[in-house]
Amino acid sequence: MTEASAPLRVLRDARGVARLQLDRPDKHNAFDEALIAALHEAVRSCGADPAVRVLLLEGRGASFCAGADIAWMRRAAAASQADNLLDAQRFAALLHAIASCPKPVLARVQGLALGGGAGLVAACDMAIAADDAQFAISEVRFGILPAVIGPYLIRAVGQRQAQALALTAERIAATEALRIGLLHRVVPLAELDAAVDACTALLLAAAPQAQGEVKQLFARLSPGDLGEATRELTAQTIARVRAGAEAREGFAAFTEKRSPAWTR
């Protein structure tokens, strides 16, 4: 099933995969107010839909997303601080919706992923890119800074790497993005769809409620924090989940040597 919303296409299949396609290929899928609103609504609705298991974020055409549309940036430069704040809050809400979506969100990246486009990649749970992909945190070249995407970039690559990218606006290749942690896999462009399909199959084979629990728990954990509060949080979480119906089905399927219910 395909749903069209101006700059965005949403395609849902029988497996439970929702493909969210940025659909401004003539502008390398640069985003503006309309695309941000459409994508936010699609992420929200797919995340709340029990039939959806995986969200796949991709861009039609030559590029994933070249960041903010120049015409939108010109309008923002002429707008009031209050209007700029509202725009920034809307983009921040979109990134939060992606990162906090209860379903896994996978980015399929080709061509350019610049500025906020790289921020979209960082907000996703996983990202697979073609070897032609290029990334840059390019905001300082326009006299601004990557404020809204900053927390997601730091989460993905660490503070020092994120700061270096933000200060220099250096354009990096997919292999370097893989090395620093922005990507999880890089493949030739001709193999990109196969790699995304293989990762999607792994996600569909896993227990959906457990995946949601992973995202909720990991969002509350800080690297290196092994204190009492963290130990108690993790113990309470696994005790609660282990007593649930999905866990019982998973253990039963394993011992009975059959597929669990969520893969049927």
Side-chain angles (χ1 to χ4, degrees):
M1 179 174 64
T2 303
E3 305 162 25
S5 178
L8 184 74
R9 290 187 181 189
V10 180
L11 299 87
R12 306 181 191 221
D13 67 24
R15 301 174 300 164
V17 177
R19 298 175 64 180
L20 312 184
Q21 296 183 334
L22 311 183
D23 194 15
R24 304 184 78 207
D26 57 321
K27 297 185 180 297
H28 292 273
N29 297 312
F31 56 78
D32 59 7
E33 308 97 316
L35 180 52
I36 289 172
L39 183 55
H40 189 181
E41 173 56 25
V43 172
R44 186 204 63 76
S45 62
C46 290
D49 185 348
V52 173
R53 291 285 318 279
V54 175
L55 279 66
L56 175 59
L57 181 58
E58 57 188 359
R60 298 190 69 225
S63 292
F64 174 74
C65 177
D69 182 87
I70 294 298
W72 180 48
M73 292 177 69
R74 288 198 185 107
R75 291 196 296 274
S80 67
Q81 183 173 337
D83 287 339
N84 271 282
L85 176 59
L86 185 58
D87 266 349
Q89 288 172 333
R90 288 169 176 160
F91 187 46
L94 165 62
L95 295 180
H96 177 71
I98 293 171
S100 62
C101 179
K103 318 294 174 63
V105 185
L106 171 63
R108 176 198 181 277
V109 187
Q110 83 286 359
L112 301 176
L114 309 178
L120 290 175
V121 175
C124 291
D125 298 308
M126 288 166 288
I128 300 175
D131 55 9
D132 74 333
Q134 298 181 55
F135 303 81
I137 310 304
S138 48
E139 283 83 351
V140 293
R141 294 198 174 179
F142 300 95
I144 57 176
L145 76 162
V148 174
I149 70 171
Y152 304 94
L153 187 64
I154 289 171
R155 184 185 67 163
V157 305
Q159 184 163 347
R160 199 163 186 230
Q161 291 281 13
Q163 185 164 297
L165 291 171
L167 290 172
T168 64
E170 178 185 9
R171 188 172 293 197
I172 61 172
T175 51
E176 177 65 6
L178 175 67
R179 186 188 71 81
I180 65 176
L182 185 59
L183 299 174
H184 297 84
R185 189 176 178 193
V186 173
V187 298
L189 180 59
E191 300 174 16
L192 182 57
D193 286 331
V196 169
D197 286 345
C199 184
T200 301
L202 292 175
L203 292 170
L204 291 171
Q209 292 177 29
Q211 288 172 327
E213 292 284 356
V214 167
K215 294 191 66 170
Q216 287 187 50
L217 176 62
F218 281 31
R220 298 178 63 183
L221 301 178
S222 300
D225 180 4
L226 303 177
E228 182 178 351
T230 296
R231 297 196 303 272
E232 183 62 19
L233 170 63
T234 56
Q236 291 281 355
T237 300
I238 189 58
R240 174 176 53 80
V241 172
R242 200 157 49 197
E246 190 176 77
R248 288 196 298 272
E249 166 62 12
F251 286 126
F254 178 78
T255 56
E256 295 166 14
K257 296 182 171 55
R258 59 173 175 82
S259 297
W262 57 80
T263 63
R264 298 171 192 164

